[in-house]
Amino acid sequence: MGQVHNGHRWRKLVTELCPPGSWCEIEECWAPSREIQYGLRPRHPLGPSLDHIVEVWQGGAEYDPRNLRPSHLRCNVIKSNQLRAAARADAVQPRRQGRARAAAMGTSGRRRRSSVALD
Ligand SMILES: [Zn+2]
């Protein structure tokens, strides 16, 4: 099933389960305040979202209110990224790739001009 929750059914759940005045229930909440912000642009990191207590890819129910709790969008994303990374680290070897890729990006392109102009 798709991981991108933007259908009508999902939006309705968000409105019902994460109404204005909700607080982020993710234990590690990474936002400055647990209060969820409303009226911001769509998909703002501090805006409303629903966290799957058991992630869908770990067998949690996607649309079951008992498996959902209010959260900041950003906290939701961070949490699922961390869980995925942990799952990957378990499955494979310690994570090295991220760094290698970042280093490669840093050195690619755009740099050439800085040396002395040829003449
Ligand atoms: Zn949060």
Side-chain angles (χ1 to χ4, degrees), residues 39-52:
L40 304 169
R41 64 171 165 78
R43 305 196 63 78
H44 187 283
L46 297 180
S49 174
L50 290 176
D51 175 45
H52 290 95

Side-chain angles (χ1 to χ4, degrees), residues 12-110:
K12 189 159 172 278
L13 270 175
V14 174
T15 323
E16 285 172 8
L17 302 175
C18 190
S22 297
W23 296 67
C24 181
E25 292 185 16
I26 292 181
E27 292 77 7
E28 301 89 341
C29 183
W30 291 268
S33 153
R34 289 215 170 212
E35 203 169 351
I36 294 170
Q37 306 291 311
Y38 294 82
L40 304 169
R41 64 171 165 78
R43 305 196 63 78
H44 187 283
L46 297 180
S49 174
L50 290 176
D51 175 45
H52 290 95
I53 296 166
V54 179
E55 297 285 324
V56 175
W57 55 273
Q58 292 182 318
E62 191 168 8
Y63 293 105
D64 186 343
R66 286 168 302 178
N67 190 38
L68 296 167
R69 57 183 177 176
S71 72
H72 293 115
L73 181 60
R74 180 173 67 171
C75 298
N76 193 354
V77 170
I78 294 175
K79 184 200 152 201
S80 46
N81 285 347
Q82 286 188 347
L83 283 172
R84 278 168 197 282
R88 233 180 283 128
D90 276 352
V92 199
Q93 283 281 311
R95 26 175 151 139
R96 276 261 173 81
Q97 300 227 332
R99 275 196 174 185
R101 201 181 303 135
M105 306 242 317
T107 54
S108 67
R110 291 241 156 192

Side-chain angles (χ1 to χ4, degrees), residues 102-117:
M105 306 242 317
T107 54
S108 67
R110 291 241 156 192
R111 255 281 160 81
R112 310 243 165 95
R113 280 300 180 89
S114 57
S115 51
V116 187

